[in-house]
Amino acid sequence: MSIAHPHNVVLTEQAAAALRDEFLGWQCRIRQLSARQGGGRPTAGMRPRVLSSRGDELSPGITLLIVEAEPADSTALFRH
């Protein structure tokens, strides 16, 4: 599978940060849906494939662990 990229697109630091934030938001949303509607069972989206910029598969799936920068509130929630 090949991914076509325009030759005039430059991934700036700001664009990379926005892409990262969108990806993390998506990961959080699918985990919420899994907990609310799927009985907590993992979904395929929780193990996304990794492709190179040319479209070559680098990994069939990676496991993501999302840890908050300030986890005190979450820790208290889990203790409750």
Side-chain angles (χ1 to χ4, degrees):
M1 173 163 90
S2 177
I3 299 174
H5 293 286
H7 296 289
N8 62 347
V9 174
V10 176
L11 188 60
T12 64
E13 192 172 323
Q14 184 178 12
L19 182 61
R20 180 201 62 224
D21 292 345
E22 287 291 322
F23 178 77
L24 289 174
W26 168 62
Q27 285 293 304
C28 289
R29 283 190 298 280
I30 63 174
R31 283 164 171 73
Q32 286 174 338
L33 288 173
S34 172
R36 293 175 184 164
Q37 300 172 354
R41 288 182 289 285
T43 65
M46 291 180 191
R47 286 191 37 87
R49 290 186 317 150
V50 179
L51 305 176
S52 73
S53 59
R54 291 189 331 231
D56 300 323
E57 186 175 78
L58 301 176
S59 177
I62 59 171
T63 301
L64 301 169
L65 177 61
I66 300 173
V67 180
E68 294 179 77
E70 298 293 330
D73 290 335
S74 296
T75 302
L77 177 66
F78 288 121
R79 284 188 180 137
H80 178 69

